[in-house]
């Protein structure tokens, strides 16, 4: 595969993930009042991530050449909060609230002590928040197998795979600032994460189609 074809493919995937980030909330908002609290929290996750993606894209258009890394802060924050609530709705465990509050306080202290993190990949916050969410995902996977729960089983599995993979990538996010590491290495990691995120978005569409679409409702 030539470099031009590869660059075009990567650009296409990047644009597609942004488009899907704006499209997916529309799908799920249609059933916002009809389904469970977990469904509402997951819809909130889609809306918040869509807004972050839109903000990042518009920033690139209107402020060409300026860094957009600070959007990473909002991506991680909104993802952690909304998915924590999502798993609170699925697992019905009160300890999730306590973990969320403690984690947010620790993140706030980290940014207060080192404000420059707002303009860099905060690998510690990313990996730590992902580990917590992966723990919830594994816990729900166990509950779904033992209690034969089927709600959001597909998405839970996708979250588990995506967050485990992206944790490794985010842990290497600051390599771009290390002069001893080629920029191409960091670019490769970012591109891999794009493909992983696209796969995650496809699973979200499949989940909606199988369990929440108006097509399913009309057939039933």
């Amino acid at each position: 595969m030539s470099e031009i074809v590869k660059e075009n493919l990567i650009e296409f995937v990047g644009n597609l993930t942004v488009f899907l980030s704006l499209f997916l909330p529309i799908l799920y908002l249609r059933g916002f009042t009809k389904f469970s609290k977990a469904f509402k929290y997951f819809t909130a996750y889609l809306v918040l991530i869509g807004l972050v993606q839109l903000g990042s894209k518009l920033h690139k258009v209107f402020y060409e050449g300026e860094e957009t890394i600070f959007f990473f802060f909002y991506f991680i924050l909104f993802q952690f909060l909304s998915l924590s609530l999502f798993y609170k709705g699925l697992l019905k465990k009160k300890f999730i609230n306590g973990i969320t509050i403690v984690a947010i306080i620790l993140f706030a202290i980290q940014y207060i002590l080192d404000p420059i993190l707002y303009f860099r990949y905060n690998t510690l916050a990313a990996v730590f928040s992902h580990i917590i969410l992966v723990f919830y995902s594994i816990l729900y996977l166990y509950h779904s197998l033992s209690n034969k729960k089927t709600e959001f089983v597909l998405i839970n599995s996708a979250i588990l795979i995506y967050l485990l993979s992206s944790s490794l990538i985010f842990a290497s996010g600051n390599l771009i600032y290390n002069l001893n590491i080629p920029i191409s290495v960091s670019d490769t990691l970012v591109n891999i994460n794009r493909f992983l995120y696209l796969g995650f978005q496809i699973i979200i569409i499949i989940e909606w189609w199988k369990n929440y679409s108006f097509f399913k409702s009309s057939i039933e």
Side-chain angles (χ1 to χ4, degrees):
M1 182 182 296
S2 67
E3 286 299 319
I4 296 178
V5 174
K6 185 184 298 184
E7 289 177 5
N8 289 337
L9 176 61
I10 291 171
E11 182 180 3
F12 171 77
V13 170
N15 290 332
L16 180 58
T17 58
V18 173
F19 169 76
L20 290 177
S21 293
L22 302 177
F23 177 67
L24 289 173
I26 297 173
L27 289 182
Y28 278 75
L29 281 169
R30 293 177 63 93
F32 189 80
T33 60
K34 299 179 182 178
F35 300 110
S36 66
K37 282 187 177 180
F39 182 94
K40 292 178 174 64
Y41 289 136
F42 190 75
T43 302
Y45 160 75
L46 295 176
V47 170
L48 291 171
I49 296 304
L51 290 175
V52 172
Q53 294 278 30
L54 178 62
S56 178
K57 195 69 174 179
L58 291 177
H59 191 276
K60 289 179 181 178
V61 172
F62 291 106
Y63 301 96
E64 187 176 354
E66 291 190 12
E67 291 286 351
T68 59
I69 292 178
F70 64 91
F71 281 99
F72 181 77
F73 165 80
Y74 299 104
F75 183 91
I76 292 299
L77 177 63
F78 292 157
Q79 176 180 262
F80 178 66
L81 286 175
S82 55
L83 288 184
S84 292
L85 290 172
F86 168 65
Y87 280 110
K88 172 69 184 307
L90 289 176
L91 292 167
K92 307 292 191 300
K93 301 293 185 181
K94 293 183 179 180
F95 69 80
I96 292 178
N97 290 337
I99 293 176
T100 302
I101 293 171
V102 171
I104 293 299
I105 291 174
L106 292 176
F107 294 157
I109 292 173
Q110 187 188 22
Y111 278 94
I112 290 171
L113 295 177
D114 190 6
I116 198 65
L117 282 174
Y118 186 69
F119 301 101
R120 297 184 66 180
Y121 285 112
N122 187 345
T123 55
L124 181 60
V127 173
F128 185 58
S129 64
H130 281 193
I131 289 174
I132 294 173
L133 293 174
V134 165
F135 167 70
Y136 297 155
S137 177
I138 293 173
L139 191 60
Y140 184 66
L141 180 62
Y142 170 77
H143 278 267
S144 63
L145 291 175
S146 58
N147 300 323
K148 297 183 179 180
K149 293 183 178 180
T150 58
E151 186 179 19
F152 285 108
V153 169
L154 271 178
I155 284 181
N156 180 65
S157 300
I159 288 174
L160 178 60
I161 296 171
Y162 169 67
L163 291 184
L164 280 174
S165 303
S166 62
S167 292
L168 299 175
I169 294 171
F170 286 148
S172 306
N174 282 326
L175 290 178
I176 194 171
Y177 297 102
N178 188 334
L179 297 179
N180 297 321
I181 303 296
I183 295 177
S184 59
V185 174
S186 182
D187 290 340
T188 300
L189 292 173
V190 171
N191 292 333
I192 291 173
N193 192 64
R194 285 176 179 170
F195 282 93
L196 287 171
Y197 192 62
L198 177 60
F200 178 44
Q201 290 177 314
I202 291 172
I203 296 298
I204 294 173
I205 294 174
I206 294 173
E207 178 80 55
W208 173 82
W209 180 269
K210 288 186 63 177
N211 299 310
Y212 303 107
S213 71
F214 50 86
F215 299 106
K216 176 181 174 61
S217 299
S218 62
I219 292 174
E220 293 178 347

